[in-house]
Amino acid sequence: MIGTFANVGTIVAGSLIGGLFRKVMSDRLSEGLMNAMGLAAFGLGINAVVQNMPKSAYPVLFIVSLAVGCVIGTLLQLDRRVSALTSRRDDGGNLGQGIITGCLIFCIGTLSILGPVQSALYGDHTYLFTNASLDFVTSMVLAATYGVGMALAAVVLLVWQGSIYLLTTLVGAFITDTMMVEISIVGGFLIAMSGLSIMKIRDFHTLNYLPALFIPVLWCLLRG
């Protein structure tokens, strides 16, 4: 778990630094930075989809995952609940949307998923330390856009990577290449959705789709 704690620490540190920078930014610069983050998130999402779609063993799984995830998330009212929670800390920068985007970028990726596996099986923290460096920069930019509340994304990362670490310790390397591909496709769509929401092109209420990430995991585990 050393690598995960380091990753959490860099997100908190980056959020604090970015939050301080935000206090001296003009409204015009803040708006420009928000558009830049939206465009970057959209590009990252599309890139993940394009890279992994040809490798998919179940080409229709992402459609089912998004549909089922949307139904579950909407019934649970995830977007409304999180928006109500983060609005208490928001200072006008739509913190809820920022945390959603940050969590997706921090958690969905080869380094963040395979890192805890490598750490649990071999004591190798290279992936997680590399991921921590990248997340440090990303969290600074996000916090400069949305505020120091972005540090809350570190809690989600801790739960995400900690769960993978514990499961790997208990049952071994349960994450297969197929599972990684399917998770990356669904995650790519969610990141792209978040980017469009940031740029105010279309508000997808991305958090309602978050349960979609677990459908490929369940499917691959059931398929053995």
Side-chain angles (χ1 to χ4, degrees):
M1 291 287 286
I2 295 175
T4 294
F5 289 136
N7 205 163
V8 169
T10 56
I11 291 175
V12 172
S15 297
L16 292 174
I17 295 172
L20 291 175
F21 179 67
R22 187 173 193 269
K23 295 182 182 298
V24 299
M25 282 199 310
S26 64
D27 291 339
R28 185 175 180 181
L29 178 57
S30 180
E31 182 181 358
L33 192 55
M34 191 172 296
N35 287 332
M37 282 308 306
L39 188 60
F42 179 75
L44 287 170
I46 294 300
N47 181 62
V49 173
V50 171
Q51 279 192 337
N52 290 282
M53 190 76 79
K55 306 174 187 175
S56 176
Y58 311 106
V60 185
L61 182 58
F62 79 92
I63 300 176
V64 176
S65 298
L66 291 172
V68 174
C70 176
V71 171
I72 296 173
T74 302
L75 290 175
L76 294 176
Q77 297 182 318
L78 294 179
D79 187 80
R80 184 183 67 80
R81 294 175 189 276
V82 173
S83 295
L85 179 64
T86 56
S87 63
R88 302 173 188 174
R89 298 173 173 267
D90 206 342
D91 54 0
N94 196 1
L95 176 60
Q97 183 63 59
I99 290 177
I100 294 167
T101 305
C103 289
L104 289 170
I105 292 175
F106 296 149
C107 296
I108 307 303
T110 302
L111 295 175
S112 189
I113 296 175
L114 292 185
V117 175
Q118 292 288 102
S119 180
L121 292 179
Y122 311 113
D124 183 358
H125 310 300
T126 304
Y127 279 7
L128 289 175
F129 287 152
T130 303
N131 197 55
S133 301
L134 297 172
D135 288 349
F136 176 68
V137 177
T138 305
S139 61
M140 275 198 295
V141 177
L142 284 169
T145 307
Y146 296 104
V148 71
M150 278 303 306
L152 293 172
V155 179
V156 178
L157 181 84
L158 177 62
V159 174
W160 172 260
Q161 291 187 358
S163 299
I164 295 175
Y165 181 92
L166 291 175
L167 280 172
T168 303
T169 302
L170 293 174
V171 301
F174 70 99
I175 296 178
T176 63
D177 291 340
T178 299
M179 188 187 295
M180 274 292 302
V181 167
E182 305 304 333
I183 292 175
S184 297
I185 293 173
V186 176
F189 276 110
L190 296 187
I191 295 173
M193 278 184 192
S194 190
L196 292 173
S197 297
I198 292 173
M199 293 185 287
K200 299 180 180 179
I201 295 176
R202 174 68 183 272
D203 189 358
F204 286 95
H205 302 290
T206 311
L207 198 62
N208 284 341
Y209 291 84
L210 200 58
L213 286 170
F214 299 98
I215 305 302
V217 177
L218 293 175
W219 174 259
C220 290
L221 289 176
L222 289 173
R223 296 284 295 182

